[in-house]
Every structure is written in C-alpha cells, then in structure tokens.
Amino acid sequence: GENVEQHPSTLSVQEGDSAVIKCTYSDSASNYFPWYKQELGKRPQLIIDIRSNVGEKKDQRIAVTLNKTAKHFSLHITETQPEDSAVYFCAAINQAGTALIFGKGTTLSVSS
Amino acid sequence: GAVVSQHPSRVICKSGTSVKIECRSLDFQATTMFWYRQFPKQSLMLMATSNEGSKATYEQGVEKDKFLINHASLTLSTLTVTSAHPEDSSFYICSARAPGPSPEAFFGQGTRLTVV
C-alpha cells in the first residue's frame, strides 16, 4: 500500500524565516497531496493541497511543490510567525483512491 | 464546506467496558467514512474504511472484533471499542469525503478516549 515519509520530524526557525517540510510517497498512482496543520487535541486543518496535474500551488505565505517523477512534494512557509507553530502533516491518497495516508508529522516551532 | 461531527469529544471508561463513538456527516451523504487513531505525538493511522450497507475494511493489524464499525445510514458511522484496555487510550478521529470530484477529506472533531 501507500507509504508516506516526512522530514524533518522537528523544525525550529526564527520569526520571519522560511520553513520547508518534505515528503515522499510510494504509489506512483497517487494524485492528491494535501497538507494539514494540527493543534494539540484538535482535528487536522487543511492548509493547502495539490493535485498531480500541477507542479506548484501558492496561497499567500504557503506554497506546495510536487515532483511526480521523484515522487516527492514539499511545503514551503515564508515569513513565518509564532502562530505558525504547530504540527504539520502531509498526506497522499492510497492505492484504492479513497483514504488518506499520512506522514509522521513535523513539529514546527517559530520563535520570536 | 462539508461538516463532519463526532461525538463524544472526550470519554473516560473503565477497563473491560465498551465505548461507542459516533461520526456524522451533517450536510452531505457519505457512502464511505474513515476511522483513524492517533497516539500522543504520533501521526494519524488509518484503522478502517467504513462502507454504508456493507462490512468495513480493516487495515492490517487492526482487530475487527475489537473495533466494531457500523455504517447503517448514509450520514452515520459508529466505532465501538469493545473490552477496552488502557492501551486503547488514544485520539480517535473520523473523516469523510463529500460527493463529487473533490478528493478533499473533512474531519470530525476527534474523540479523546481514556481507559482507566
């Protein structure tokens, strides 16, 4: 089945710096790649997603890039703020095309 | 967007008892819902896929007799943790996709289960 690897597991940056989180997936048939932000005890919140027919998508300070050949995708956050501190998960649609399979998560800490 | 509601948000039960968690799609019909388990500081692990009107599909390593899933209607799936033990304490969360071409998943609020 689908396997999603995520790095790094923790990331500490200074306010205003950029943060990059990378994920790889195993199933070449996967075609949907969302990123979630999760605060403690809360449900995951979708922050951006990308489908396999595009290579990049941007929404204000957040961008996602996708390399289908290499089977990896990345989250880029620019001008980080303390409120960006949270756990971020990448995900991919599994072989059956129904359930999301998640990476292990990245704890982002933005210090002011 | 579509709304998925999960109940209860928190539950404490004694070892050996059973606990039922409900997942409802409030403004759409969901033929398929998904149940995840999340241990502290870990990722969301897919437990099973709940199919309306048929048996759930369980992921490898998930005991179907311990985690009973019922999807009796197009808006409700339930997860029952039977004979709960402290190691079952976790955050359980459901999700569903709205009808149509969008693959976006909508999540319930999650249920914090503590078995004492």
Side-chain angles (χ1 to χ4, degrees):
Chain A
E2 176 71 277
N3 183 49
V4 179
E5 299 286 340
Q6 183 172 345
H7 299 280
S9 56
T10 60
L11 180 58
S12 296
V13 299
Q14 291 287 323
E15 182 177 4
D17 288 350
S18 295
V20 180
I21 303 171
K22 299 182 178 182
C23 287
T24 61
Y25 60 98
S26 61
D27 184 3
S28 56
S30 292
N31 58 4
Y32 176 64
F33 308 93
W35 285 89
Y36 292 90
K37 177 182 181 182
Q38 188 182 31
E39 298 179 355
L40 192 63
K42 303 279 184 70
R43 76 184 92 193
Q45 294 284 346
L46 178 69
I47 57 171
I48 196 167
D49 56 12
I50 191 168
R51 300 200 197 188
S52 58
N53 58 347
V54 297
E56 184 174 1
K57 184 178 178 181
K58 190 174 182 180
D59 182 5
Q60 299 183 343
R61 298 187 295 109
I62 295 173
V64 56
T65 59
L66 171 66
N67 183 327
K68 284 189 63 180
T69 302
K71 291 190 283 187
H72 65 69
F73 56 113
S74 301
L75 177 70
H76 304 252
I77 306 174
T78 59
E79 301 172 29
T80 54
Q81 302 166 2
E83 48 266 38
D84 293 330
S85 297
V87 181
Y88 291 81
F89 292 97
C90 63
I93 287 285
N94 70 355
Q95 282 184 330
T98 55
L100 288 171
I101 302 301
F102 287 84
K104 291 190 182 299
T106 297
T107 301
L108 174 65
S109 300
V110 182
S111 53
S112 55
Chain B
V3 179
V4 175
S5 179
Q6 194 171 333
H7 178 81
S9 58
R10 293 176 183 270
V11 59
I12 300 173
C13 72
K14 293 184 177 181
S15 289
T17 62
S18 296
V19 173
K20 180 184 285 188
I21 303 169
E22 293 186 346
C23 180
R24 295 181 184 273
S25 54
L26 297 186
D27 51 359
F28 66 98
Q29 294 183 330
T31 56
T32 304
M33 292 184 176
F34 308 98
W35 287 97
Y36 293 85
R37 179 169 53 184
Q38 186 177 31
F39 291 111
K41 299 187 178 181
Q42 295 190 23
S43 185
L44 288 81
M45 299 300 296
L46 179 66
M47 298 176 68
T49 300
S50 171
N51 304 297
E52 188 269 335
S54 64
K55 291 183 179 180
T57 303
Y58 290 82
E59 294 299 300
Q60 191 172 9
V62 178
E63 300 174 59
K64 62 180 181 181
D65 295 330
K66 179 169 182 62
F67 299 99
L68 301 179
I69 292 174
N70 184 282
H71 195 150
S73 78
L74 287 171
T75 59
L76 174 64
S77 175
T78 60
L79 168 68
T80 301
V81 183
T82 63
S83 186
H85 288 97
E87 56 265 34
D88 298 323
S89 299
S90 188
F91 189 60
Y92 293 85
I93 189 163
C94 66
S95 77
R97 288 169 59 186
S102 173
E104 184 177 354
F106 297 93
F107 288 88
Q109 305 96 311
T111 297
R112 171 71 60 194
L113 170 64
T114 303
V115 185
V116 297

